[in-house]
Amino acid sequence: MLALEKPYTEFSPSTPPKTENLSLESTIQELSLHDFQIESSHLGKEVTHTFQLNPLLPGVILTEQGKLVGMISRRRFLEQMSRPYGLELFLKRPLSSLYRFANTDVLILPGETQIVEATRCSLQRSANALYEPIIVELEIGTYRLLDVHQLLVAQSNIHELATRLLDEKTQAQLIQTEKMAALGQMVASVAHEIKNPVGCITCNFDFLFSYCQTLIKVLSAYEVEFPETSSSLSGLKEECDLGFVLEDLPKILKSMELGSERLTKIVGGLQSFSHMDGTHRKPADLHECIESTLIILNNRLKSGIAVIKNYGDLPLINCYSGQLSQVFMNILSNAIDALTEKLNEQATSSKTWQPQIEISTDILEQSNQEWVSVTIADNGTGMPLAIQERIFEMFFTTKPVGKGTGLGLAISHQIVTQKHGGQLLLHSQPNTGTEFQILLPLA
């Protein structure tokens, strides 16, 4: 009677392979595995009977006193039996003799090996061993057999899945790019329309301020020349509170002038941020790009977030300034979100904490190459390690549904690395803060 260490699973020809619900990270232990182990001292005829009962069984695992010795595939077994005198030689002899004669190379992989990696290892074998089953080690001393055909089917399904996901990501990125382009055109158009009346107001402020000063000077002269006025005129001056008006008018004009200058900067920031990059890079001032982005985000920074700027002496950088402005916008927006979240948590406690964003620029030298470094750091909640490993993945987001698309940092990474040949690095510690470093090659 056949002595098995563990009962093996019988599969009928209609049993479908376990290839549904696979993901890009699926491992070989998720596939249908065959459990057929026998001591190498048993005779070959015992394996023949089992192969006849289980036509899908790819081979047999050989053990010696419970320890793994090797594996004989169904193909090798039948090949040896079909040789002249093969039946006489091996049917009534121990399987160990057949194993030594077949001289089979055995591939052993851990159960947590990803299907993609297992396929690569399998295809790297010699042509003679290409279709041999793979021994899967689920845990120490526990082995199963994996049919290579099933592995290739699973790999094909994963390739299909990867292609579909790539198409979806590409489509989503195209949609996002189109939205950003449309938004940029709209913002540029609105900024242009606002710029003309704002320019008119700003240019006339000097004249308005001068005229008001002249009128105040003339009124003061009248006060000196005619100190005595009629009762009706004195009543009118008191009713209009002329003294307060003359004192407050210059302050109002100055305030309006500052507001006009601020509005001019905002319009300039919108035009700079919505700048449509052409097919070629152009020299740009990174500090101007950062300042334009901060102007647009000014309303979100009013919740008490301090912005500390440590600007170095940077030359003009040959780049796509509009795309880099988008990178600054994405990173700064994430920093503001993290600080706002922590600020709301601190509001319920007695701890004093000052939210801040620190922006530093400098020129670094690494590997005989000069780099322009832009560092944006916050003192927010930081990121767990598991999130850090996936932060630049397309569609990955930790924000609630409707608040995050998972495209911002992924697109930023592509802009920095692919469009500019740079690096986008992340340094973060939980409960300490997060730092993004943008490195752009100077040459």
Side-chain angles (χ1 to χ4, degrees):
M1 186 173 180
L2 184 63
L4 299 178
E5 292 185 344
K6 297 182 181 178
Y8 58 85
T9 305
E10 295 186 4
F11 299 99
S12 64
S14 61
T15 302
K18 291 167 59 177
T19 55
E20 60 275 357
N21 300 324
L22 293 178
S23 68
L24 300 181
E25 292 79 26
S26 290
T27 59
I28 54 178
Q29 61 191 357
E30 299 176 38
L31 302 177
S32 295
L33 303 176
H34 301 266
D35 183 12
F36 178 34
Q37 302 179 41
I38 189 171
E39 284 286 318
S40 60
S41 57
H42 285 253
L43 304 182
K45 62 180 181 180
E46 298 177 5
V47 174
T48 302
H49 178 68
T50 306
F51 279 156
Q52 290 174 348
L53 293 177
N54 297 274
L56 295 182
L57 196 61
V60 54
I61 297 175
L62 301 182
T63 59
E64 188 174 317
Q65 297 181 351
K67 294 183 179 181
L68 178 68
V69 172
M71 180 273 304
I72 300 177
S73 66
R74 172 191 289 269
R75 182 176 67 88
R76 295 274 187 187
F77 184 85
L78 296 179
E79 181 183 288
Q80 297 301 328
M81 292 300 175
S82 62
R83 291 177 179 273
Y85 307 107
L87 295 176
E88 292 80 358
L89 285 174
F90 301 119
L91 277 184
K92 297 181 180 180
R93 291 190 178 185
L95 288 167
S96 56
S97 60
L98 174 59
Y99 179 69
R100 287 193 298 270
F101 186 83
N103 192 23
T104 305
D105 292 329
V106 180
L107 177 60
I108 305 174
L109 295 175
E112 60 269 15
T113 305
Q114 291 188 355
I115 292 174
V116 176
E117 175 64 18
T119 304
R120 185 186 66 81
C121 294
S122 177
L123 295 177
Q124 285 180 340
R125 294 183 292 181
S126 64
N128 193 36
L130 192 59
Y131 296 104
E132 290 291 291
I134 298 171
I135 295 181
V136 180
E137 186 176 14
L138 299 179
E139 56 186 44
I140 298 177
T142 303
Y143 302 96
R144 299 290 186 271
L145 275 181
L146 172 60
D147 192 345
V148 172
H149 173 74
Q150 187 186 351
L151 177 65
L152 295 177
V153 170
Q155 166 64 13
S156 175
N157 289 343
I158 288 179
H159 178 73
E160 237 177 80
L161 175 63
T163 303
R164 186 167 66 251
L165 290 176
L166 183 61
D167 289 342
E168 291 175 359
K169 291 180 180 180
T170 304
Q171 184 67 20
Q173 187 172 354
L174 287 174
I175 294 173
Q176 181 74 2
T177 303
E178 288 297 321
K179 286 172 63 178
M180 289 299 297
L183 180 62
Q185 290 176 346
M186 182 185 69
V187 170
S189 177
V190 171
H192 179 73
E193 292 299 322
I194 296 175
K195 187 175 182 179
N196 290 332
V198 169
C200 178
I201 295 171
T202 304
C203 291
N204 287 315
F205 254 115
D206 289 339
F207 299 108
L208 180 60
F209 191 77
S210 177
Y211 295 160
C212 287
Q213 290 291 337
T214 301
L215 290 175
I216 292 172
K217 186 177 180 180
V218 171
L219 287 174
S220 299
Y222 268 101
E223 288 284 344
V224 174
E225 291 289 334
F226 303 101
E228 297 294 332
T229 58
S230 64
S231 58
S232 60
L233 185 57
S234 297
L236 181 61
K237 288 168 62 177
E238 185 176 347
E239 181 183 347
C240 296
D241 198 359
L242 183 60
F244 173 76
V245 171
L246 293 176
E247 181 185 352
D248 196 47
L249 183 57
K251 297 178 182 178
I252 292 177
L253 290 173
K254 190 62 177 176
S255 176
M256 292 175 65
E257 184 182 18
L258 293 175
S260 175
E261 291 175 356
R262 176 69 178 166
L263 187 56
T264 302
K265 288 183 179 180
I266 292 175
V267 172
L270 288 174
Q271 285 188 313
S272 176
F273 182 78
S274 62
H275 172 68
M276 296 301 294
D277 295 314
T279 56
H280 302 287
R281 303 184 190 187
K282 297 178 182 178
D285 185 349
L286 290 189
H287 293 155
E288 184 180 327
C289 294
I290 296 172
E291 289 297 322
S292 300
T293 307
L294 289 174
I295 289 173
I296 297 173
L297 292 172
N298 182 66
N299 188 58
R300 297 190 62 195
L301 293 168
K302 289 180 178 179
S303 57
I305 300 175
V307 178
I308 302 172
K309 303 172 188 175
N310 300 314
Y311 289 165
D313 186 14
L314 299 185
L316 295 180
I317 307 301
N318 208 27
C319 63
Y320 301 103
S321 60
Q323 295 184 18
L324 286 181
S325 294
Q326 183 182 350
V327 173
F328 298 145
M329 174 71 76
N330 292 335
I331 295 176
L332 286 169
S333 295
N334 282 345
I336 293 172
D337 289 339
L339 292 174
T340 303
E341 180 182 348
K342 188 171 180 178
L343 198 61
N344 294 335
E345 294 175 356
Q346 293 289 335
T348 59
S349 65
S350 58
K351 296 180 180 179
T352 57
W353 169 75
Q354 172 62 46
Q356 69 178 33
I357 296 175
E358 185 173 355
I359 306 174
S360 304
T361 62
D362 202 357
I363 295 180
L364 305 178
E365 186 171 347
Q366 295 179 1
S367 304
N368 298 324
Q369 167 73 48
E370 284 190 320
W371 301 82
V372 172
S373 170
V374 179
T375 303
I376 301 175
D378 66 72
N379 61 340
T381 55
M383 299 181 191
L385 183 60
I387 293 178
Q388 295 182 38
E389 294 174 349
R390 303 187 58 192
I391 198 66
F392 297 123
E393 286 184 16
M394 197 76 74
F395 302 113
F396 177 76
T397 179
T398 59
K399 296 178 182 178
V401 177
K403 290 191 175 181
T405 61
L407 291 172
L409 289 177
I411 291 176
S412 298
H413 189 266
Q414 290 181 1
I415 290 174
V416 174
T417 59
Q418 297 179 17
K419 290 286 188 177
H420 293 85
Q423 302 176 44
L424 180 55
L425 308 177
L426 168 67
H427 309 280
S428 182
Q429 292 184 0
N431 303 318
T432 301
T434 300
E435 175 184 290
F436 284 94
Q437 185 180 26
I438 303 166
L439 293 176
L440 302 174
L442 190 57

